[in-house]
Amino acid sequence: MRLRWSGGVLLSVAAAYYVYTPLPSAVSEPWKLILLDALFRSFIHAGDAAQALGLCHSVHMLNSVVSRLEVIEPWSSPTVRVTDSALGGVPARVFQPVGGGAKLRRGVLYFHGGGWALGSGRMRSYDLLCRRMAEELDTVVVSVDYRLAPDSVFPDQYHDALAASRAFLSPEVLQHFGVNPARVGVSGDSSGGNLAAAVAQRVHTCKLTHMHTLTHINTHTLTFFFWPQISADDSMSVKFSIQALIYPVLQALDLNTPSYQQNHNVPILHRHLMARFWLIYLGADPSLLPHLLSSPSSLLHPSISPSIRSHLNWTSLLAAKHQKHYLPVGIETGSREVTGIVPGLVDVRAAPLLAEQGILGRTPRAYVMTCEFDVLRDDGLMYARRLQDAGVTVTSVHYDDGFHGCMVFSFWPFLSSVGQRSLDNYIQWLDHNL
């Protein structure tokens, strides 16, 4: 009996030790976040174990769990008709308000998050999000299921996002769905916010307009390209009228911004996990993870040209209250240069924050949501600032008690308080601006 009791105590202590994660005192509903993080970490550890045993890639394991727990079949209600379809050859779930006669509606193209490797627009959380948008805004919402890493890597996800965007903006598709061509928006959260920002910049791939060089420590140079933007593409008669970016990930050249330093161990998106997602997305060798994490801040990066460095200069782009006491991080001993090995790190299609000011100035009115306890906070804040400096009207909304992913956790069973507030604000902004 004593042995069982002792074993139970030890198991309880071990479980508590595994579950508990120290959190900032100001984060919203910390125990909910702790339990969510423990669940997510257990799935990640199970995936890593499956990969180590040679059973499958860790991401495949994670997506298998997500599919079993979250993916649901389309179901319609008296107010919203839901169907699975395709847009530009890309799978998508369509949410159409019922009734309304022949009047033209607004339209939103939505890209889900998940590090370009996880998730689906058919997940329950995204289904409920888009269903609510369609119902409350009387808006046609199309949630895109772009291809996922590691089976598909950059630029496949970007190409799917662009193909879906071009199809949705075509007069034929807008007419089919009864959408007003002057009231079409693009939106997404996290990696989906990355894709939304990239297609809002309307990157084209027909020819090059800008070329920059990065000088490396070993005196070699790496040439990388900014692809021409088609904000002025005459082949597209309809453009997005707004972009709504929810805690977007926008660059990987500086994983030492103040928010990365402050929140490196804050759930649910730890710094090392974000770096891991970047390498999976860009099809890079996972052994580069420690080198990516030990790369210096962009301001001190010897391989980044001054013109690009200015696009990431958080000492000038961030307000003092967000810079806090943090300083740029220098080169760590033994760190390996990764920009030459992973060219996607400096490709504007993967990192929209690197876009030239003239390109940003042609993008539509923007909503950028950020959370204090999120490694991606400064990506969004810097992008909002650069958009404003380029002349774009920007609504920048920051949640001092928010954490990464909070908006999609606003539904049962998590019912995040800050998530519900952020969702209400997001829908209200769409209603007033789209």
Side-chain angles (χ1 to χ4, degrees), residues 210-216 220-226 302-308 346:
H210 298 285
M211 183 171 70
H212 298 272
T213 59
L214 299 179
T215 304
H216 288 266
H220 291 294
T221 58
L222 167 70
T223 303
F224 72 101
F225 304 103
F226 286 108
S303 303
I304 300 178
S305 67
S307 61
I308 302 307
V346 289

Side-chain angles (χ1 to χ4, degrees), residues 286-367:
S287 68
L288 293 174
L289 179 62
H291 301 287
L292 182 59
L293 288 171
S294 63
S295 294
S297 296
S298 57
L299 292 173
L300 303 176
H301 205 303
S303 303
I304 300 178
S305 67
S307 61
I308 302 307
R309 204 174 292 160
S310 67
H311 299 166
L312 301 168
N313 185 358
W314 53 262
T315 63
S316 64
L317 292 171
L318 294 179
K321 66 178 181 179
H322 295 302
Q323 293 186 37
K324 300 183 171 67
H325 60 279
Y326 297 102
L327 300 172
V329 175
I331 300 175
E332 291 187 18
T333 303
S335 176
R336 184 181 178 190
E337 173 57 50
V338 294
T339 53
I341 305 170
V342 189
L345 291 170
V346 289
D347 191 316
V348 73
R349 297 172 300 171
L353 185 57
L354 302 182
E356 299 286 358
Q357 203 77 345
I359 300 305
L360 296 179
R362 307 186 77 130
T363 61
R365 185 166 62 257
Y367 177 91

Side-chain angles (χ1 to χ4, degrees), residues 73-83 94 96 98 127 131:
E73 294 298 316
W75 59 275
S76 298
S77 70
T79 55
V80 179
R81 179 171 176 262
V82 182
T83 56
V94 182
Q96 295 176 270
V98 174
D127 184 279
R131 188 182 299 271

Side-chain angles (χ1 to χ4, degrees), residues 57 242 250 385:
H57 195 287
I242 62 99
L250 299 166
R385 170 66 184 275

Side-chain angles (χ1 to χ4, degrees), residues 5-247:
W5 183 85
S6 299
V9 170
L10 288 174
L11 285 174
S12 298
V13 170
Y17 178 79
Y18 181 82
V19 169
Y20 179 72
T21 299
L23 291 178
S25 59
V27 73
S28 176
E29 300 173 305
W31 278 105
K32 286 185 179 181
L33 184 55
I34 286 173
L35 292 174
L36 177 66
D37 179 60
L39 182 65
F40 189 45
R41 278 189 289 114
S42 67
F43 292 156
I44 291 176
H45 292 158
D48 289 342
Q51 182 167 323
L53 293 171
L55 301 177
C56 63
H57 195 287
S58 60
V59 170
H60 292 157
M61 174 77 170
L62 284 170
N63 266 324
S64 175
V65 172
V66 168
S67 295
R68 290 175 181 271
L69 296 178
E70 274 280 297
V71 170
I72 61 175
E73 294 298 316
W75 59 275
S76 298
S77 70
T79 55
V80 179
R81 179 171 176 262
V82 182
T83 56
D84 283 342
S85 186
L87 201 61
V90 182
R93 178 161 288 185
V94 182
F95 301 80
Q96 295 176 270
V98 174
K103 73 170 184 177
L104 293 179
R105 290 187 165 95
R106 298 174 283 196
V108 173
L109 190 66
Y110 195 90
F111 299 108
H112 68 82
W116 308 280
L118 302 174
S120 166
R122 295 175 292 118
M123 288 171 57
R124 177 180 171 276
S125 51
Y126 286 109
D127 184 279
L128 291 174
L129 168 64
C130 294
R131 188 182 299 271
R132 180 173 168 183
M133 290 165 61
E135 187 174 61
E136 293 192 16
L137 298 172
D138 193 29
T139 299
V140 176
V141 181
V142 179
S143 184
V144 180
D145 262 341
Y146 51 88
R147 288 172 287 176
L148 299 175
D151 300 322
S152 297
V153 297
F154 176 79
D156 288 350
Q157 289 85 339
Y158 166 79
H159 285 158
D160 283 356
L162 188 60
S165 299
R166 287 182 173 278
F168 193 49
L169 291 170
S170 68
E172 298 79 13
V173 171
L174 294 176
Q175 183 178 14
H176 172 75
F177 288 126
V179 173
N180 185 337
R183 306 181 76 182
V184 187
V186 63
S187 185
D189 64 291
S190 193
S191 57
N194 169 284
L195 295 173
V199 297
Q201 292 180 10
R202 293 179 175 84
V203 183
H204 213 187
T205 56
C206 56
K207 63 181 180 179
L208 298 171
T209 55
H210 298 285
M211 183 171 70
H212 298 272
T213 59
L214 299 179
T215 304
H216 288 266
I217 300 172
N218 62 4
T219 72
H220 291 294
T221 58
L222 167 70
T223 303
F224 72 101
F225 304 103
F226 286 108
W227 303 88
Q229 315 297 312
I230 55 171
S231 308
D233 182 6
D234 293 333
S235 68
M236 294 183 65
S237 59
V238 180
K239 316 271 185 177
F240 289 120
S241 58
I242 62 99
Q243 55 182 321
L245 314 177
I246 310 302
Y247 31 77

Side-chain angles (χ1 to χ4, degrees), residues 378-401:
D378 296 343
D379 282 22
L381 292 174
M382 286 191 289
Y383 198 61
R385 170 66 184 275
R386 291 202 62 218
L387 287 172
Q388 288 175 326
D389 290 347
V392 176
T393 300
V394 179
T395 299
S396 180
V397 178
H398 182 72
Y399 291 91
D400 288 330
D401 59 343

